[in-house]
């Protein structure tokens, strides 16, 4: 039994004006692909001959250029053309938007089907924040979404979809999933796995997977910051055999009813306050660290990372003996200027993209405190994706990066040359805290800042959403 494996992963924020290019992806090919996928061990346990496809993962950002999409797609298709396989296993996101094409996942799978035919089993691991086109269900056999927010179960999900694929190959049956698109768009910061109603929804998914005839059950929250006809929540249920199709359809409707009955329970898990009030809240807490999420410029949801709203507010404040850091501000030019200096040099640099009212330039004057590496996140959190320089201005440190990114772990601070324990208040370019920081946080607050990932999604200028979709 031969199975091709690969990853082509990107979450697209269409409100981010900076398009995504080939150079913005972490890309490996050949046998190095096998070292990055948890599915490989599960397949090898089943005596499968694993064929490496590609591994291309991009940090959340703007629309993917057509040439970038075609580059990675052609790489994968060329491997398929040269190798006979019994099945295909892929780790995708579900919310890739491509210039002039639309859903990248749908376009990719349709091209694969055109090459391998309709009978070859295809298994997908997808992010729970995927905006899934209904048409995709016609071209794939196995699907399962992550079942944690923040995401910590990618390894388990890859293993489950890999084992399900080998089962289908052995059965020699072409199973088809049940799928329903839900008429709701849910703000991501209102849906955390340890809070209701998502906690109960995850429990219901587990209960459905215990039913006879059900292989996998998935709920997709969707990615709210994508102006697409496919944006929104959905449900996928995969039957075990062809004879279980009706059971899958009934289970799918059970999940739809369960979720829709709870749709108005989604709400912020953390304090969500206007920018100035968010800083007030953080600074009045005695213990540390307190994390402030610059939620409107959340790079983990694809925002650019260049907004200076919270930076300006912090510079205008008396921090009352506390130490704060902004990690980080994306500005290639400012980084390049700072990087010419040595640590310890006095520096002065204008920072801010200047692309809109929220990224107004700010003059920073201080000392170059540190230089370091910028790590990625999710599928790239151990990869160096850029560099940073940190300016110290008395009680306020500002990290300047040469790409949009967010510090999601303690290691991100270490690789930047910083110690997170030095700070009372830490401003991050993200929404909800990632798991590693939740474990060390004394407090957290969502600053309702403006930008490409603005949390009040009902106020966003959607143009492509169907009129009947409800914004939550």
């Amino acid at each position: 039994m031969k199975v091709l494996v690969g990853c082509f992963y990107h979450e697209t924020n269409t409100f981010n004006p900076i398009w995504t290019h080939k150079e913005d992806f972490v890309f490996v090919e050949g046998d190095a692909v096998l070292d990055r996928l948890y599915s490989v061990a599960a397949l090898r346990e089943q005596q499968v001959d694993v064929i490496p496809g590609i591994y291309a993962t991009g940090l959340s950002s703007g629309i993917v250029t057509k040439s970038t999409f075609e580059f990675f797609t052609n790489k994968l298709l060329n491997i398929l053309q040269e190798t006979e396989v019994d099945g295909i296993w892929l780790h995708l996101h579900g919310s890739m938007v491509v210039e002039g094409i639309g859903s990248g996942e749908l376009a990719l799978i349709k091209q694969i089907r055109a090459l391998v035919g309709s009978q070859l089993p295809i298994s997908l691991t997808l992010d729970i924040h995927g905006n899934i086109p209904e048409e995709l269900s016609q071209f794939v056999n196995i699907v399962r979404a992550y079942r944690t927010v923040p995401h910590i179960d990618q390894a388990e999900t890859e293993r489950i979809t890999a084992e399900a694929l080998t089962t289908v190959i052995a059965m020699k049956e072409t199973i088809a999933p049940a799928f329903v698109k839900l008429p709701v768009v849910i703000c991501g910061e209102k849906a955390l796995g340890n809070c209701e109603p998502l906690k109960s929804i995850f429990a219901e998914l587990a209960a459905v997977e215990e039913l006879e005839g059900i292989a996998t059950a998935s709920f997709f929250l969707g990615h709210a910051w994508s102006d697409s006809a496919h944006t929104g929540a959905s449900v996928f249920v995969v039957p075990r055999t062809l004879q279980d199709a009706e059971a899958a359809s009934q289970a799918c409707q059970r999940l739809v009813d369960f979720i829709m009955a709870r749709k108005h329970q989604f709400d912020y898990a953390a304090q969500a306050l206007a920018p100035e009030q968010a800083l007030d809240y953080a600074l009045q807490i005695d213990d540390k660290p307190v994390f402030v999420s610059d939620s409107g410029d959340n790079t983990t949801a694809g925002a650019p990372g260049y907004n200076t709203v919270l930076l300006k507010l912090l510079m205008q404040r008396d921090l009352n003996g506390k130490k704060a850091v902004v990690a980080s501000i994306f500005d290639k030019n400012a980084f390049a200027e700072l990087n010419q200096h040595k640590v310890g040099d006095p520096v002065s640099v204008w920072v801010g993209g200047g692309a809109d009212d929220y990224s107004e330039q700010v003059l920073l004057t201080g000392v170059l405190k540190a230089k370091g590496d910028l790590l990625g996140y999710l599928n790239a959190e151990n990869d160096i994706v850029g560099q940073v320089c940190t300016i110290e201005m008395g009680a306020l440190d500002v990290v300047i990066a040469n790409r949009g990114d967010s510090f999601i772990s303690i290691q991100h601070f270490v690789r930047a040359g910083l110690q997170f324990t030095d700070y009372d208040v830490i401003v991050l370019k993200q929404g909800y805290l990632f798991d590693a920081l939740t474990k060390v946080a004394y407090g957290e607050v969502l600053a309702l800042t403006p930008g490409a990932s603005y949390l009040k999604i009902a106020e966003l200028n959607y143009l492509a959403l169907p009129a009947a979709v409800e914004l939550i």
Side-chain angles (χ1 to χ4, degrees):
M1 186 184 295
K2 288 186 178 181
V3 170
L4 180 135
V5 299
C7 173
F8 186 14
Y9 184 98
H10 187 263
E11 179 183 56
T12 303
N13 183 321
T14 64
F15 298 102
N16 181 344
I18 304 172
W19 285 18
T20 302
H21 300 272
K22 180 178 69 174
E23 296 75 21
D24 296 316
F25 283 78
V26 173
F27 174 53
V28 299
E29 51 189 333
D31 288 342
V33 171
L34 306 180
D35 298 329
R36 288 176 171 260
L37 297 171
Y38 300 103
S39 60
V40 172
L43 291 169
R44 285 175 170 167
E45 287 173 6
Q46 303 293 321
Q47 309 303 311
V48 172
D49 184 6
V50 184
I51 309 300
I54 65 167
Y55 185 97
T57 183
L59 306 184
S60 301
S61 51
I63 293 172
V64 177
T65 65
K66 185 177 180 182
S67 61
T68 297
F69 176 77
E70 290 175 342
F71 173 82
F72 292 121
T73 297
N74 289 338
K75 285 274 187 181
L76 188 60
L77 293 175
N78 288 340
I79 295 168
L80 276 172
Q81 284 179 323
E82 297 169 359
T83 311
E84 288 190 11
V85 296
D86 301 293
I88 296 170
W89 180 97
L90 296 173
H91 190 159
L92 311 177
H93 184 280
S95 291
M96 183 190 299
V97 178
V98 181
E99 170 197 9
I101 291 176
S103 169
E105 290 84 6
L106 178 60
L108 171 66
I109 296 301
K110 289 176 78 171
Q111 290 185 60
I112 289 174
R113 277 290 178 218
L115 181 64
V116 304
S118 61
Q119 301 304 305
L120 193 77
I122 296 178
S123 178
L124 301 184
T125 291
L126 295 170
D127 194 299
I128 188 175
H129 294 109
N131 291 325
I132 311 299
E134 183 171 2
E135 191 180 1
L136 185 69
S137 64
Q138 302 171 21
F139 295 97
V140 297
N141 308 99
I142 299 155
V143 169
R144 197 176 193 266
Y146 309 157
R147 204 169 287 176
T148 55
V149 181
H151 311 316
I152 58 172
D153 66 331
Q154 293 96 321
E156 179 186 3
T157 307
E158 289 194 6
R159 177 185 59 78
I160 290 170
T161 55
E163 291 175 352
L165 177 61
T166 60
T167 299
V168 169
I169 293 172
M171 287 193 310
K172 300 185 184 301
E173 287 189 351
T174 305
I175 59 172
F179 177 84
V180 174
K181 192 75 178 178
L182 306 182
V184 294
V185 176
I186 302 166
C187 172
E189 271 54 52
K190 292 184 176 180
L192 272 67
N194 63 347
C195 299
E196 295 296 351
L198 192 54
K199 183 177 180 180
S200 291
I201 292 171
F202 284 158
E204 184 71 0
L205 289 170
V208 166
E209 285 186 342
E210 291 296 318
L211 296 175
E212 185 176 352
I214 304 302
T216 69
S218 299
F219 169 52
F220 291 91
L221 284 162
H223 177 55
W225 298 283
S226 177
D227 187 13
S228 159
H230 310 304
T231 298
S234 57
V235 175
F236 248 117
V237 177
V238 176
R240 290 195 178 278
T241 69
L242 280 173
Q243 288 70 37
D244 298 317
E246 181 58 29
S249 179
Q250 292 177 4
C252 193
Q253 190 58 52
R254 165 179 163 173
L255 287 169
V256 169
D257 294 342
F258 188 91
I259 293 161
M260 293 300 285
R262 291 160 177 79
K263 63 181 179 179
H264 291 129
Q265 295 179 20
F266 287 99
D267 203 355
Y268 303 119
Q271 286 275 0
L273 302 171
E276 290 192 26
Q277 284 68 50
L279 292 179
D280 288 339
Y281 176 87
L283 288 166
Q284 60 86 28
I285 295 177
D286 291 331
D287 290 293
K288 66 177 187 180
V290 179
F291 291 95
V292 180
S293 294
D294 188 355
S295 64
D297 198 25
N298 174 9
T299 54
T300 71
Y306 55 37
N307 289 9
T308 55
V309 172
L310 289 179
L311 172 60
K312 289 191 297 180
L313 290 175
L314 278 169
M315 291 176 66
Q316 296 163 7
R317 281 178 174 263
D318 179 355
L319 299 184
N320 297 319
K322 295 193 173 186
K323 184 75 173 175
V325 63
V326 178
S328 55
I329 303 286
F330 167 46
D331 190 321
K332 285 185 178 180
N333 294 333
F335 169 83
E337 186 174 340
L338 291 170
N339 201 38
Q340 296 176 16
H341 293 272
K342 296 178 181 178
V343 172
D345 285 354
V347 292
S348 184
V349 64
W350 287 95
V351 172
D356 50 40
D357 293 340
Y358 319 132
S359 59
E360 180 181 352
Q361 287 194 318
V362 179
L363 181 63
L364 304 184
T365 300
V367 174
L368 185 59
K369 178 176 182 174
K371 293 183 176 183
D373 296 323
L374 184 65
L375 299 178
Y377 49 85
L378 290 183
N379 296 323
E381 63 185 277
N382 295 315
D383 292 294
I384 297 171
V385 299
Q387 285 78 43
V388 294
C389 289
T390 300
I391 302 175
E392 184 175 30
M393 302 185 299
L396 177 63
D397 289 356
V398 183
V399 184
I400 310 301
N402 63 356
R403 71 165 298 162
D405 196 3
S406 185
F407 284 38
I408 68 160
S409 71
I410 295 169
Q411 188 65 12
H412 281 70
F413 289 89
V414 172
R415 292 298 292 268
L418 305 175
Q419 291 294 329
F420 83 96
T421 52
D422 290 343
Y423 302 104
D424 299 278
V425 175
I426 300 174
V427 175
L428 300 171
K429 294 289 187 178
Q430 60 189 256
Y432 57 74
L433 287 185
F434 278 60
D435 193 57
L437 299 185
T438 298
K439 292 175 180 176
V440 300
Y442 188 81
E444 62 177 294
V445 58
L446 290 167
L448 296 173
T449 48
S453 55
Y454 186 43
L455 295 189
K456 295 183 179 180
I457 61 174
E459 298 177 18
L460 294 176
N461 185 30
Y462 291 105
L463 300 176
L465 283 184
V469 170
E470 182 178 4
L471 301 171
I472 297 175

